[in-house]
């Protein structure tokens, strides 16, 4: 990648994207790390990225003071960063505020609210003429029941700033509210939608959606956290929804005033009508971006870095197939015994890559979240159906043994 721009990138956990950037942008990448996420950065990853300059934001320090320290520190670099990328959803508000104070391109406070506060987001969708599920902010079980009285059970209850289905629940009746502390956070309730749920990713430059790539979801995220197959399948074969996806995303990008970056959103197709779900302006979770690269045969991470560096990427597609990421189960917390090896996974039909995040002897903690996994496999095929069939075969052959330990020290993954 040519050009002199240097990128400051938030690095709060290892990912395929951050590892790619560390390899490809050596000399043109600076990492922004936050002290409170140090436990999520393993020693081997810190060694892997030790060749890159990294600025650590101190815990509990005023952000204005940390931005001042950063500016002084960056002035001593061969070339200070002039561009900014935040791939982290929970870090969005803090990271964008830091970028603003550091004098770098950033999302405004209003834009952060629109992509993080799901109630404000849905109100914006409606202002832009899009259908959404009925929704309301709630502070008590009585308000949830009142909403359900108007719109029917089941309903979906979630914190307005949740992600990855963390603390997100389908409620089938008043009894499902037991144990949920509605005073602890800002919550919203929304109508449960039927139809087919889809995901779409897009890259944006100069306010223009350059392209959009659909993903099929064999199982809904809310079903995934309760044990259903955890997978996304990028659809490069024309099997996607009969929707002008670029126009759909463009309406939102224009309405929110987003200049550049990676956007991804979920939407529902019900009797031929689109209902907007949620949108994020950062890389999609799990391995969804990598799926698009495998499905279309292009450098998706390179294209993403290009727009964050202010350059138009080369979208030269060399494939047209379906490719998905299958998250491998992590059935519980405790000590990992036997686990199917990467070589065994690569020998299964359609599997072109596999990553195991745990190994025998590790102590792990399972979470109720859509990214809870012991690893993942990339599976390809000629159609969505073929990929899904191959994924289910992988699941039947994959084995992981986790022995519960009452007093074990558990390392989150």
């Amino acid at each position: 990648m040519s050009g002199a721009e240097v990128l400051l990138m938030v690095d709060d956990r290892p990912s395929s994207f951050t590892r790619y950037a560390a390899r490809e942008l050596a000399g043109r990448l600076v990492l922004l790390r936050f002290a409170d996420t140090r436990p999520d950065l393993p020693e081997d990853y810190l060694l892997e990225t030790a060749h890159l300059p990294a600025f650590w934001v101190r815990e509990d320090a005023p952000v204005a003071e940390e931005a001042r320290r950063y500016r002084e520190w960056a002035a001593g670099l061969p070339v200070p960063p002039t561009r900014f990328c935040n791939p982290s959803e929970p870090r969005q508000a803090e990271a964008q505020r830091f970028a603003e104070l550091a004098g770098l391109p950033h999302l405004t406070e209003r834009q952060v609210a629109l992509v993080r506060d799901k109630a404000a987001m849905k109100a914006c969708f409606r202002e832009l003429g899009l259908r959404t599920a009925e929704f309301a902010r709630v502070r008590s079980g009585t308000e949830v029941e009142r909403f359900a009285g108007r719109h029917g059970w089941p309903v979906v209850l979630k914190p307005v700033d949740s992600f990855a289905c963390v603390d997100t629940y389908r409620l089938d009746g008043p009894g499902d509210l037991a144990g949920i502390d509605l005073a602890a956070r800002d919550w919203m309730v929304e109508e449960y939608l039927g139809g087919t749920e889809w995901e779409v990713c897009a890259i944006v430059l100069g306010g223009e959606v350059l392209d959009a790539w659909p993903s099929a979801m064999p199982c809904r995220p809310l079903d995934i956290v309760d044990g259903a197959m955890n997978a996304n399948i990028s659809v490069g074969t024309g099997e996607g929804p009969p929707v002008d996806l670029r126009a759909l995303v463009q309406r939102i990008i224009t309405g929110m005033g987003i200049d550049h970056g990676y956007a991804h959103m979920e939407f529902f197709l019900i009797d031929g009508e689109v209902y907007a779900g949620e949108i994020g302006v950062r890389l999609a979770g799990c391995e969804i971006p990598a799926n698009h690269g495998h499905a279309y045969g292009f450098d998706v991470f390179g294209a993403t870095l290009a727009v964050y560096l202010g350059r138009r990427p080369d979208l030269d597609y060399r494939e047209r197939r379906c490719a998905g990421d299958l998250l491998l189960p992590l059935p519980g917390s405790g000590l990992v015994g036997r686990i199917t090896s990467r070589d065994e996974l690569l020998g299964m039909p359609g599997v072109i890559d596999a990553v195991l995040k745990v190994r025998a002897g590790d102590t792990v903690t399972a979470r109720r979240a859509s990214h809870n996994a012991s690893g993942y496999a990339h599976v390809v095929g000629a159609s969505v159906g073929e990929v899904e069939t191959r994924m289910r075969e992988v699941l039947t052959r994959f084995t992981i043994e986790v022995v519960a330990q009452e007093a074990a020290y558990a390392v989150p993954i």
Side-chain angles (χ1 to χ4, degrees), residues 33-242:
R33 289 170 169 161
F34 295 81
D36 61 343
T37 62
R38 174 61 184 83
D40 297 323
L41 297 169
E43 291 299 330
D44 60 348
Y45 177 72
L46 292 176
L47 288 173
E48 183 183 341
T49 56
H51 62 292
L52 298 170
F55 182 84
W56 288 84
V57 178
R58 296 173 299 185
E59 197 167 356
D60 298 326
V63 64
E65 169 62 18
E66 294 305 274
R68 182 197 63 77
R69 275 203 320 118
Y70 164 79
R71 291 194 302 270
E72 293 178 354
W73 176 84
L77 297 173
V79 182
T82 53
R83 308 289 300 187
F84 179 70
C85 173
N86 171 44
S88 170
E89 176 76 4
R91 191 65 60 176
Q92 193 72 280
E94 184 179 7
Q96 300 297 341
R97 176 61 175 153
F98 185 95
E100 179 184 12
L101 293 170
L104 298 172
H106 61 279
L107 297 180
T108 66
E109 184 176 355
R110 174 181 177 273
Q111 289 169 332
V112 169
L114 292 178
V115 299
R116 284 292 286 140
D117 184 321
K118 298 179 190 302
M121 180 191 301
K122 290 179 185 295
C124 178
F125 288 162
R126 290 192 168 183
E127 290 172 6
L128 296 174
L130 297 172
R131 298 176 182 84
T132 73
E134 296 294 335
F135 67 95
R137 297 180 187 269
V138 291
R139 294 187 177 88
S140 68
T142 299
E143 290 181 337
V144 174
E145 292 183 46
R146 189 178 301 134
F147 178 91
R150 293 194 303 270
H151 302 291
W153 299 96
V155 298
V156 177
L157 179 70
K158 65 180 73 171
V160 298
D161 62 349
S162 185
F163 69 102
C165 288
V166 176
D167 294 330
T168 299
Y169 305 95
R170 169 179 162 154
L171 307 180
D172 293 311
D176 290 343
L177 284 161
I180 300 176
D181 183 1
L182 292 174
R185 302 173 67 176
D186 292 331
W187 294 82
M188 65 179 290
V189 64
E190 63 184 40
E191 173 189 17
Y192 182 85
L193 292 179
T196 304
E197 187 171 358
W198 291 88
E199 192 269 351
V200 59
C201 294
I203 52 173
V204 179
L205 183 65
E208 176 192 358
V209 175
L210 303 184
D211 208 351
W213 312 296
S215 291
M217 291 187 279
C219 301
R220 289 188 172 198
L222 270 179
D223 296 327
I224 287 168
V225 296
D226 290 326
M229 183 171 77
N230 194 345
N232 301 275
I233 302 173
S234 179
V235 186
T237 57
E239 294 180 77

Side-chain angles (χ1 to χ4, degrees), residues 241-413:
V243 176
D244 187 340
L245 295 176
R246 285 180 67 178
L248 172 64
V249 181
Q250 185 69 67
R251 182 185 297 193
I252 298 170
I253 291 299
T254 300
M256 291 184 175
I258 304 298
D259 176 73
H260 67 278
Y262 189 110
H264 80 100
M265 70 175 292
E266 295 88 30
F267 65 94
F268 298 83
L269 198 58
I270 304 173
D271 296 329
E273 301 287 357
V274 171
Y275 287 72
E278 298 173 0
I279 191 167
V281 180
R282 46 89 178 169
L283 267 79
C286 302
E287 291 295 313
I288 294 174
N291 293 342
H292 300 316
H294 290 307
Y296 294 86
F298 80 114
D299 184 358
V300 64
F301 291 145
T304 300
L305 286 173
V307 297
Y308 279 105
L309 287 165
R311 295 188 290 103
R312 194 175 188 92
D314 178 14
L315 299 180
D316 180 20
Y317 303 147
R318 299 179 301 278
E319 287 275 3
R320 289 288 181 176
R321 60 182 177 178
C322 293
D325 63 316
L326 170 66
L327 272 64
L328 301 170
L330 182 63
S333 301
L335 185 68
V336 178
R338 184 188 182 280
I339 183 170
T340 300
S341 71
R342 180 173 186 269
D343 285 344
E344 290 175 282
L345 289 165
L346 290 174
M348 298 180 191
V351 177
I352 59 169
D353 194 14
V355 171
L356 292 173
K357 297 182 179 181
V358 305
R359 56 189 175 185
D362 286 350
T363 303
V364 296
T365 299
R367 298 171 172 173
R368 187 185 183 277
S370 63
H371 58 270
N372 181 66
S374 57
Y376 62 85
H378 281 298
V379 183
V380 299
S383 67
V384 172
E386 182 174 54
V387 172
E388 184 174 345
T389 297
R390 288 174 167 178
M391 287 177 165
R392 294 192 183 280
E393 181 177 349
V394 171
L395 289 179
T396 63
R397 297 169 62 179
F398 178 77
T399 299
I400 179 171
E401 299 169 353
V402 180
V403 180
Q405 292 181 304
E406 290 184 6
Y409 171 72
V411 180
I413 65 169

